[in-house]
Amino acid sequence: SHYDGWNMTPNMAINAGCATIITNKATSDELIRGSNSGVVIEDDAQQLFLAMKTMCEDTSTVAKLKENTKSFTDKISGDIVGQYFIDILDYTFNLKDTDKPECPWL
């Protein structure tokens, strides 16, 4: 999705243990890059075709990408992301004297 501001599609894919093809136009391609659980492509039909073809033909790479999701799910759990959101609010509105929060999945 070009407009998914909450990272839902790659987030669900990682949590489901799926290798993912995502464009660099998605709001959350950094999840796939950071987890090394898929391929980030340009917003281009030919690149999508080639990425799909590669994944269909190279099952060992797909297996590795899927395996990589397992070590990343804890970085995007509901508790972690929720706390990050709270930390952002605290920092933004000076609710607590705190340092700028760091994104847990980067």
Side-chain angles (χ1 to χ4, degrees):
S1 170
H2 288 249
Y3 308 106
D4 176 12
W6 287 99
N7 306 328
M8 292 305 297
T9 303
N11 191 314
M12 288 186 291
I14 291 167
N15 280 300
C18 295
T20 306
I21 300 170
I22 193 167
T23 73
N24 62 352
K25 301 283 188 188
T27 58
S28 49
D29 61 308
E30 79 277 358
L31 288 178
I32 301 306
R33 280 185 172 82
S35 64
N36 195 26
S37 64
V39 178
V40 179
I41 61 170
E42 301 276 324
D43 190 11
D44 176 80
Q46 183 65 24
Q47 285 190 21
L48 177 59
F49 167 75
L50 292 173
M52 291 171 64
K53 184 175 185 292
T54 299
M55 284 198 175
C56 287
E57 293 173 349
D58 187 358
T59 56
S60 64
T61 296
V62 173
K64 182 174 169 44
L65 296 173
K66 290 168 72 172
E67 186 65 28
N68 291 342
T69 64
K70 294 177 184 174
S71 62
F72 200 76
T73 56
D74 61 328
K75 294 181 181 184
I76 57 171
S77 72
D79 290 341
I80 295 294
V81 173
Q83 186 59 56
Y84 177 55
F85 183 64
I86 290 168
D87 293 345
I88 289 170
L89 293 175
D90 287 344
Y91 177 78
T92 301
F93 297 105
N94 297 314
L95 300 175
K96 292 182 181 175
D97 185 23
T98 183
D99 292 332
K100 182 178 178 181
E102 292 189 31
C103 182
W105 55 85
L106 294 180

